[in-house]
Amino acid sequence: MAENAGESDQFVLATPVVRWGIEQLQSRKVHTFFPAYLEIRRTAVEVESGTGIHPNWSNLEQFLQIPGGPPGKPNFRPFWHGSRRQDQDWLNENIAGSYAPSSIRKVPLNVVKPDGSGYSLLEDHSELALEHLLFGESLPVLPLAVFYYRDFGFNASGSSLSHYDLVDVFRRDFGFSSELDSEDFEILFTINAPDRDDWFEPWEPPSSAQSEMTTAEA
């Protein structure tokens, strides 16, 4: 999905854009199981099977981990579907346990089902996810991609980078690139871009020490 690098001429998503993305996600009604569904579906595309799916939850953790959270809750998940309460966006470090087949209840079972220690996707799962996890309203993909890739570096010419590159990276990494999988993308997401030109900024490495940057190829 990505590789570590510390090369020059990298660009990152601008801080105001990241804040905008998180605020947009928090303002939507999105079931907390939705990021797990995306990871289960991504794994299914990778192994070319909709049954017996065993996600590697560290793939999801790299997108959710943020320093500074409450004790024991290093993962930030700005999705909610009920009454908001304090610290609700912070998820404990045991993602595998939170999303284990034995832990899922009610709504997620309308989209996936336990399959031994793994999962199986139900038929027409993308349409079911739209109904039960997104509550009938497709999610604008840019806020999600901005949040997921906030700590990633992009190797490309700054003048050529745009929000379309970000969408392309998301589609590639999460198995929405093929013609068949594009149908799922069009069901789940919309591409509604605000009128702004500050999506990316040059990455400035720390002056006092070398730092690794997770890199996405745009």
Side-chain angles (χ1 to χ4, degrees):
M1 295 173 65
E3 49 187 42
N4 289 327
E7 303 294 334
S8 59
D9 298 328
Q10 287 189 330
F11 293 81
V12 294
L13 287 158
T15 299
V17 172
V18 174
R19 289 177 179 151
W20 165 82
I22 292 174
E23 289 170 357
Q24 289 294 306
L25 292 175
Q26 290 176 322
S27 70
R28 302 275 305 202
K29 187 178 180 181
V30 179
H31 197 281
T32 53
F33 192 77
F34 186 65
Y37 162 70
L38 290 180
E39 183 58 29
I40 293 169
R41 184 199 167 279
R42 186 201 66 76
T43 305
V45 172
E46 185 177 272
V47 301
E48 299 181 346
S49 175
T51 61
I53 305 165
H54 292 82
N56 180 353
W57 292 113
S58 63
N59 289 329
L60 179 58
E61 283 181 322
Q62 69 176 327
F63 296 112
L64 301 185
Q65 286 184 344
I66 294 181
K73 294 186 176 182
N75 298 297
F76 186 72
R77 181 186 57 182
F79 309 95
W80 205 250
H81 53 278
S83 300
R84 300 193 70 83
R85 61 178 183 266
Q86 186 176 8
D87 293 338
Q88 67 181 26
D89 292 328
W90 293 97
L91 184 65
N92 64 45
E93 59 190 3
N94 183 20
I95 285 185
S98 297
Y99 291 136
S102 60
S103 298
I104 61 176
R105 299 289 186 273
K106 295 181 180 179
V107 170
L109 294 175
N110 294 321
V111 182
V112 304
K113 66 179 181 180
D115 188 351
S117 60
Y119 316 79
S120 289
L121 291 167
L122 298 184
E123 187 176 357
D124 298 325
H125 56 84
S126 59
E127 295 181 359
L128 293 172
L130 174 65
E131 178 182 356
H132 297 288
L133 302 182
L134 297 178
F135 304 96
E137 187 175 358
S138 299
L139 183 68
V141 69
L142 277 166
L144 177 61
V146 162
F147 168 62
Y148 270 14
Y149 291 96
R150 67 196 178 279
D151 291 329
F152 281 63
F154 292 79
N155 284 331
S157 168
S159 61
S160 67
L161 279 174
S162 75
H163 60 278
Y164 293 112
D165 296 298
L166 181 61
V167 174
D168 287 344
V169 169
F170 176 85
R171 294 185 67 152
R172 182 195 66 210
D173 284 351
F174 282 87
F176 291 107
S177 295
S178 72
E179 182 176 349
L180 178 61
D181 293 318
S182 289
E183 296 178 6
D184 282 355
F185 183 88
E186 291 170 2
I187 290 170
L188 296 169
F189 299 107
T190 60
I191 304 177
N192 298 325
D195 184 16
R196 62 189 310 161
D197 57 6
D198 61 341
W199 294 96
F200 294 92
E201 61 187 14
W203 177 57
E204 297 293 339
S207 57
S208 59
Q210 294 294 322
S211 175
E212 286 191 347
M213 168 70 67
T214 305
T215 305
E217 296 294 342

